[in-house]
Amino acid sequence: QVQLVESGGGLVQAGGSLRLSCAASGRTFRSYIMGWFRQAPGKEREFVAAINWSDGSITYLADSVKGRFTISRDNAKKQVYLQMNSLKPEDTAVYYCAARLGPGAEYNYWGQGTQVTVSS
């Protein structure tokens, strides 16, 4: 089992920055892919970013956040980060950290989420 706990959410003005953290505990494997998702009120959960746990050499970003968000990880600390810059009101959502065993697997480990609110 893998436990994921997000932190770092909050209220920020448009144009500001936040860094979300996801702490992983329990069994972790080098093959894991770590992802960030978000869900705004009344909308479906959407993919934001992903990174391979082993060396962080492969990253994916949703088109809506490219150029503004960066995903990274620190294996020693078992942390995954989402650096969010140039935030927009439409980035307001609950952000979730998730993990899957590999490229062909489902995301089956989820954190409880952290609220990000961007004011205009």
Side-chain angles (χ1 to χ4, degrees), residues 18-24 32-36 48-61 68-85 97-98:
L18 281 174
R19 188 177 82 154
L20 304 183
S21 299
C22 172
Y32 273 11
I33 293 174
M34 305 298 295
W36 284 98
V48 176
I51 188 168
N52 62 318
W53 183 258
S54 57
D55 60 8
S57 62
I58 303 172
T59 60
Y60 302 92
L61 290 168
R68 301 187 298 122
F69 291 11
T70 303
I71 186 171
S72 61
R73 98 278 180 263
D74 184 328
N75 274 9
K77 296 182 178 179
K78 287 192 173 183
Q79 298 258 3
V80 180
Y81 307 103
L82 186 67
Q83 178 66 44
M84 306 186 295
N85 299 327
C97 177

Side-chain angles (χ1 to χ4, degrees), residues 23-46:
S25 60
R27 297 184 70 185
T28 56
F29 297 96
R30 287 180 57 81
S31 63
Y32 273 11
I33 293 174
M34 305 298 295
W36 284 98
F37 291 76
R38 66 187 181 186
Q39 187 166 20
K43 294 187 177 181
E44 293 189 355
R45 186 169 57 196
E46 65 174 357

